[in-house]
Amino acid sequence: MLWATSPACTELETHVLDWLVEMLDLPSKFLSTSTGGGVIQDTASSSSLCALLAARERATNFASNQRGCDGKLVAYTSSQAHSSIEKAVQIAGLGRANLRLIDVDESFAMRPEALALQVETDRRAGLVPCFVCATVGTTSSNAIDPVGKIGRICREQKLWLHVDAAMSGTAALCPELRRIHRGLEWADSYCFNPHKWMFTNFDCDCFYVADRSALIQTLSVLPEYLRNQATASGAVIDYRDWQIPLGRRFRSLKLWFVIRHYGVEGLQYHIRRHVALAQQFAEWVGNDERFELAAPAPLNLICFRHKGGDDANQTLLERLNQSGDLYLTHTRLTDRLTLRFCVGQTNTEARHVERAWKRIQQEAEKLGPK
Ligand SMILES: Cc1ncc(COP(=O)(O)O)c(C=O)c1O
């Protein structure tokens, strides 16, 4: 719970999170040796909540911790953001009515000009905009919000920018895929989940802040029974002040093992392989006139649908998932049922993807002509 109760737990966590800044080429402000630093949370949901709490406090000069929220603080994210942002807004006491779901473009990425307009409208109405969450790799379609443009608006308007890269952040291990993080230098906080696509057992989310003092001041409560010399010296990290719970697991150990086991090149090899397999799948979909791609596919998630409409896609989904041969997830994009095929499991190989596509084609055959 404290540095003093297990120095190794804290020190290894700091060390591994600094490794990851370098491995993903994240902005150096996220290093522990800079103004910021990283901490391992259980999930991206917890990271977003912590980011929102720090944003809330920074915007109110730490008065809302004292007095509670006054109903005026406003948070922003896109209509495609994960539901954990809505949950965070509820828990943090902003109220769901004060979450703005900003419109997206045809690639399902947030429209920065719509964000700017909404912030202006809210300010004119006497409200207090405080937090924006951009997503790098939305859950539904893997859309990548224009973080740079959003970041400039946040800087101008003094809004906390959190970047949620829960699944897709891992792609930045590969230099040729780092475009997903363009603009990250504007972010106040960032998270990605090694438990999603970096071969790490659940749970493990890496959460970085640019200014650790804002987070610590937000979450720190120091009763007598937690006082100790190490904390008082100011020379150590007490991660209890970087998260909601007091006690914590030794999660950095498994991350250390993963990184040591694969090495950076090994991790890159698997990420590239997954992206290539997914892109191959997208090509097959695109070449089959019964199907269409439903969204751009920048990485390892392919959104597609049968051209026969929602009923046909529902039938395909149910039959395939009940077969036990493969498991597709679904979403709705532009209000049409959409099938989702994701390659991210450690041992997925070309033969699995080939077989999955053959099974999808077989089931499509049974549907008859579109
Ligand atoms: C973009 C994004 N953010 C957040 C989450 C929530 O992840 P967690 O279970 O780590 O809270 C997900 C999970 O699907 C996600 O895709």
Side-chain angles (χ1 to χ4, degrees), residues 72-291:
K72 288 192 170 171
L73 294 168
V74 186
Y76 304 80
T77 195
S78 92
S79 59
Q80 298 293 305
H82 190 261
S83 56
S84 53
I85 307 305
E86 185 175 331
K87 198 186 254 188
V89 164
Q90 291 175 204
I91 298 170
L94 271 70
R96 226 165 37 206
N98 286 333
L99 173 65
R100 306 282 182 258
L101 297 179
I102 303 299
D103 204 10
V104 294
D105 64 17
E106 60 289 342
S107 68
F108 305 103
M110 192 196 288
R111 289 182 188 277
E113 63 287 355
L115 171 69
L117 206 64
Q118 186 64 53
V119 171
E120 214 181 289
T121 307
D122 288 331
R123 279 210 200 282
R124 261 193 265 116
L127 298 172
V128 182
C130 71
F131 175 80
V132 177
C133 175
T135 312
V136 168
T138 58
T139 312
S140 265
S141 74
N142 227 346
I144 295 172
D145 287 342
V147 177
K149 287 185 181 162
I150 294 169
R152 278 187 195 94
I153 296 168
C154 291
R155 192 62 59 90
E156 265 171 39
Q157 297 285 337
K158 297 194 169 51
L159 309 178
W160 183 292
L161 174 61
H162 175 61
V163 176
D164 173 7
M167 178 171 78
S168 300
T170 295
L173 286 166
C174 304
E176 73 276 19
L177 298 175
R178 285 188 188 146
R179 58 179 180 273
I180 63 165
H181 280 162
R182 231 176 260 149
L184 197 57
E185 63 278 9
W186 298 97
D188 292 287
S189 55
Y190 166 84
C191 76
F192 85 106
N193 289 8
H195 75 225
K196 277 188 163 48
W197 195 16
M198 215 183 93
F199 320 115
T200 307
N201 283 343
F202 191 84
D203 51 14
C204 186
D205 166 272
C206 297
F207 175 51
Y208 290 94
V209 287
D211 171 18
R212 60 179 171 266
S213 66
L215 183 67
I216 293 169
Q217 204 178 331
T218 297
L219 296 177
S220 181
V221 179
L222 185 59
E224 181 56 36
Y225 46 81
L226 293 178
R227 288 184 191 277
N228 65 88
Q229 269 185 1
T231 297
S233 76
V236 301
I237 292 177
D238 285 320
Y239 279 128
R240 72 182 182 97
D241 296 331
W242 297 52
Q243 61 175 25
I244 309 292
L246 168 62
R248 54 202 323 275
R249 301 179 56 202
F250 197 165
R251 297 189 183 92
S252 58
L253 200 53
K254 64 185 173 191
L255 203 46
W256 183 85
F257 272 114
V258 167
I259 296 169
R260 295 288 296 178
H261 172 74
Y262 288 96
V264 175
E265 285 177 13
L267 292 169
Q268 289 171 337
Y269 168 81
H270 287 289
I271 297 304
R272 287 183 177 126
R273 206 170 52 78
H274 288 169
V275 172
L277 290 174
Q279 295 302 320
Q280 172 67 79
F281 181 87
E283 200 180 311
W284 288 332
V285 170
N287 290 337
D288 187 322
E289 60 174 18
R290 292 167 298 184
F291 288 94

Side-chain angles (χ1 to χ4, degrees), residues 308-326:
D310 281 5
D311 289 348
N313 284 293
Q314 187 66 40
T315 304
L316 266 184
L317 183 69
E318 283 168 13
R319 287 187 185 162
L320 287 165
N321 286 353
Q322 276 164 17
S323 75
D325 293 333
L326 70 153

Side-chain angles (χ1 to χ4, degrees), residues 298-339:
L299 298 167
N300 61 334
L301 175 70
I302 310 302
C303 294
F304 68 107
R305 62 173 82 90
H306 190 276
K307 289 178 185 166
D310 281 5
D311 289 348
N313 284 293
Q314 187 66 40
T315 304
L316 266 184
L317 183 69
E318 283 168 13
R319 287 187 185 162
L320 287 165
N321 286 353
Q322 276 164 17
S323 75
D325 293 333
L326 70 153
Y327 193 88
L328 295 177
T329 51
H330 74 280
T331 188
R332 290 194 86 78
L333 292 173
T334 45
D335 205 28
R336 282 190 290 167
L337 187 64
T338 301
L339 307 177

Side-chain angles (χ1 to χ4, degrees), residues 25-45:
D25 197 25
L26 300 177
S28 58
K29 63 185 177 184
F30 292 145
L31 284 169
S32 66
T33 48
S34 174
T35 51
V39 58
I40 301 180
Q41 306 268 351
D42 53 0
T43 59
S45 303

